[in-house]
């Protein structure tokens, strides 16, 4: 199969619609990362997404809809704060988990009685979803465990020859996956941190918790239990106060004939003058936007990628840190402790 990369307009949108309607898979741009989309009503199409990615069968998918789609047709009631959250943050990088009416394929939610719904804001995503005009189940368009894609080229690198079409909307400006928010209880609960932060949600809903699975408990968001976002090279990870050890790891790799490289904030890059480094920038938003592209560049160019943890831990950086720790194997979720 030839994999075409095309702009989300004109005849390509018509082709995307036809592909989705006939049970094929289409990759598309969103403001967070690229998605690998399929008709959420079709068992066969949804299972194709799992098979293509090599995604574990108990890791549910998010359903994506355009901004005028009647989500009440998919969800079975909602708490009082949900409408205000939609008004404040949608379209945008916030996924809301509702009680499900069970209208979409049972494989979307992997047997859970809830449904995760997202309304992406990128014009490319809206054009695609409006054209398809049905709920599109879509995980990130990367092979399972690999780094999430933030350009059409990243998607192509993972799925060349395996999918018919990638709708290219340019580089993703958000850069990390959406915030996943459980809206089935009295208090909204963040299952996955992202660009819409706990503070932002609490300001609108009055309260907001961050869910942390207890040891041995099946996590509420099954995906968070898996090793994720891993670059395909050796990695090491140090907190900012252990820069000496990070330098020693770098020198050791270089002495052995390898090609080490740091991944760190601008300020740390500047302190590591003379060493090779990939620059996460100097704000949480910049770090979010750059992280995945740099992890992919790191795996191509380095034999050992050495992450240095940013100092800031709150707000948007909480989401970045979650992805960074998991990419570097420091935090695999509850499954591996
Ligand atoms: P991905 O699409 O690869 O970014 O992953 C989707 C994330 O949303 C995973 O962490 C899933 O566990 C989570 N998710 C999807 N549907 C649900 C749901 N019904 N309840 C809780 N988490 C969900
Ligand atoms: Mg993913």
């Amino acid at each position: 199969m030839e994999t075409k990369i095309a702009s989300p307009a004109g005849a390509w949108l018509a082709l995307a619609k036809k592909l989705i309607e006939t049970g094929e898979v289409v990759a598309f741009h969103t403001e967070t990362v690229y998605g690998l989309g399929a008709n959420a009503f079709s068992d066969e199409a949804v299972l194709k997404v799992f098979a293509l990615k090599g995604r574990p069968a108990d890791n549910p998918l998010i359903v994506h809809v355009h901004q005028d789609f009647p989500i009440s047709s998919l969800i079975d009631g909602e708490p009082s704060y949900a409408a205000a959250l939609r008004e404040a943050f949608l379209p945008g990088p916030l996924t809301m988990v509702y009680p499900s009416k069970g209208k979409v394929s049972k494989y979307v939610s992997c047997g859970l009685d809830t449904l995760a719904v997202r309304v992406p804001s990128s014009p490319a995503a809206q054009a695609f979803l409006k054209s398809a005009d049905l709920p599109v189940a879509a995980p990130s368009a990367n092979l399972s465990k690999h780094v999430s894609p933030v350009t059409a080229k990243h998607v192509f690198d993972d799925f060349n020859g395996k999918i018919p079409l990638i709708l290219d909307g340019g580089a993703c400006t958000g850069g990390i996956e959406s915030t996943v928010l459980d809206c089935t209880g009295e208090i909204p609960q963040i299952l996955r941190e992202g660009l819409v932060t706990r503070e932002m949600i609490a300001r609108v809903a009055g309260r907001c918790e961050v869910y942390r699975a207890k040891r041995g408990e099946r996590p509420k968001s099954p995906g968070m239990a898996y090793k994720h976002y891993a670059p395909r090279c050796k990695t090491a990870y140090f907190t900012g106060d252990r820069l000496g050890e990070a330098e020693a790891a770098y020198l050791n790799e270089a002495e052995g004939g390898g090609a080490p490289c740091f991944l760190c904030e601008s300020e740390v890059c500047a302190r590591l003058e003379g060493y090779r480094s990939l620059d996460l920038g100097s704000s949480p938003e910049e770090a979010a936007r750059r992280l995945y592209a740099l992890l992919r560049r790191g795996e191509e160019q380095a034999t050992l990628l050495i992450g240095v943890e940013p100092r800031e831990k709150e707000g948007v950086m909480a989401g970045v840190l979650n992805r960074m720790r998991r990419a570097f194997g420091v935090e695999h979720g509850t499954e591996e402790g």
Side-chain angles (χ1 to χ4, degrees), residues 13-167:
L13 275 185
L15 173 63
K17 176 181 174 64
K18 194 170 144 231
L19 288 167
I20 290 292
E21 282 172 356
T22 54
E24 279 303 331
V25 167
V26 173
F28 62 103
H29 175 273
T30 82
E31 71 278 18
T32 59
V33 304
Y34 274 76
L36 191 64
N39 179 354
F41 291 129
S42 161
D43 288 349
E44 203 190 334
V46 171
L47 288 174
K48 206 177 271 183
V49 169
F50 280 90
L52 278 165
K53 279 187 59 108
R55 185 176 176 97
D58 65 349
N59 188 4
L61 305 183
I62 295 168
V63 152
H64 293 65
V65 295
H66 64 74
Q67 56 193 358
D68 302 318
F69 190 88
I71 59 167
S72 55
S73 64
L74 302 175
I75 65 171
D76 191 13
E78 62 178 29
S80 55
Y81 55 77
L85 289 176
R86 279 199 299 275
E87 179 66 28
F89 300 116
L90 302 191
L94 174 69
T95 294
M96 295 168 67
V97 177
Y98 304 92
S100 176
K101 266 191 180 144
K103 298 284 184 199
V104 299
S105 162
K106 62 179 180 291
Y107 297 110
V108 170
S109 291
C110 305
L112 299 171
D113 56 4
T114 52
L115 183 67
V117 183
R118 176 159 129 72
V119 186
S121 63
S122 104
Q126 281 295 321
F128 164 60
L129 293 167
K130 274 196 178 124
S131 165
D133 200 25
L134 49 77
V136 171
S140 50
N142 52 282
L143 292 169
S144 190
K145 297 193 179 73
H146 195 210
V147 180
S148 299
V150 290
T151 66
K153 164 82 165 47
H154 293 159
V155 182
F156 190 82
D157 289 345
D158 278 12
F159 292 108
N160 180 23
K162 307 223 165 67
I163 61 174
L165 181 62
I166 302 169
L167 292 173

